[in-house]
Amino acid sequence: MSILLFRLRNVPEDEAEDIRELLNDNGFEFYETSAGNWGISTAAIWLKNKDELENAKAVIEKYQTERGISQRHTYEALKQSGAHKTLLDSLKENPIRFIAYIIFVGFIIYVSTKPFLAIG
């Protein structure tokens, strides 16, 4: 019987590809499900043999630890060189979206507090 091994929701494509490669290289039999047309299904990698679950999880955990370390080093290098993306950079890239978000947040705050202000 198959068992869920790794959820793919919000996982970068390069990491998902690395996980697939890692499982293939270590001889694990698996299959993948997508989120479907509407994105409500479980996008995941499923292990076909339930008995291999602990070994597969150990392999993935080791990979993720190494990836985390390398990603932190990459971020630190970008930060030191000044090439990392900041909030100000995002604002400069798309100011209309930023303004729309501010207006939307203001509207939500207004709608949330109006009943309480009308009481007094």
Side-chain angles (χ1 to χ4, degrees):
M1 175 131 196
S2 299
I3 189 162
L4 178 64
L5 176 64
F6 189 78
R7 293 182 192 273
L8 294 173
R9 184 165 299 233
N10 299 324
V11 174
E13 186 56 39
D14 65 321
E15 182 178 0
E17 188 58 39
D18 288 346
I19 295 291
R20 290 181 201 106
E21 234 177 84
L22 192 64
L23 292 172
N24 277 329
D25 292 347
N26 286 290
F28 295 110
E29 289 187 46
F30 67 94
Y31 65 94
E32 189 172 330
T33 55
S34 70
N37 293 336
W38 296 342
I40 58 174
S41 297
T42 302
I45 294 176
W46 299 77
L47 197 59
K48 288 185 178 181
N49 187 353
K50 195 175 185 178
D51 299 331
E52 296 176 335
L53 179 64
E54 293 305 316
N55 294 334
K57 279 188 175 184
V59 168
I60 291 174
E61 186 175 327
K62 181 181 177 209
Y63 164 76
Q64 285 185 320
T65 301
E66 292 169 359
R67 180 178 170 89
I69 291 168
S70 72
Q71 292 296 315
R72 275 190 286 280
H73 289 307
T74 303
Y75 174 74
E76 288 299 324
L78 287 173
K79 193 173 176 183
Q80 288 178 354
S81 70
H84 72 292
K85 190 174 180 179
T86 63
L87 179 61
L88 188 57
D89 294 332
S90 296
L91 173 62
K92 287 177 184 177
E93 280 179 16
N94 200 341
I96 294 172
R97 181 176 60 186
F98 184 77
I99 292 168
Y101 285 159
I102 295 297
I103 291 170
F104 182 69
V105 167
F107 175 73
I108 296 296
I109 291 171
Y110 171 76
V111 169
S112 299
T113 58
K114 183 166 176 18
F116 297 106
L117 296 175
I119 292 173

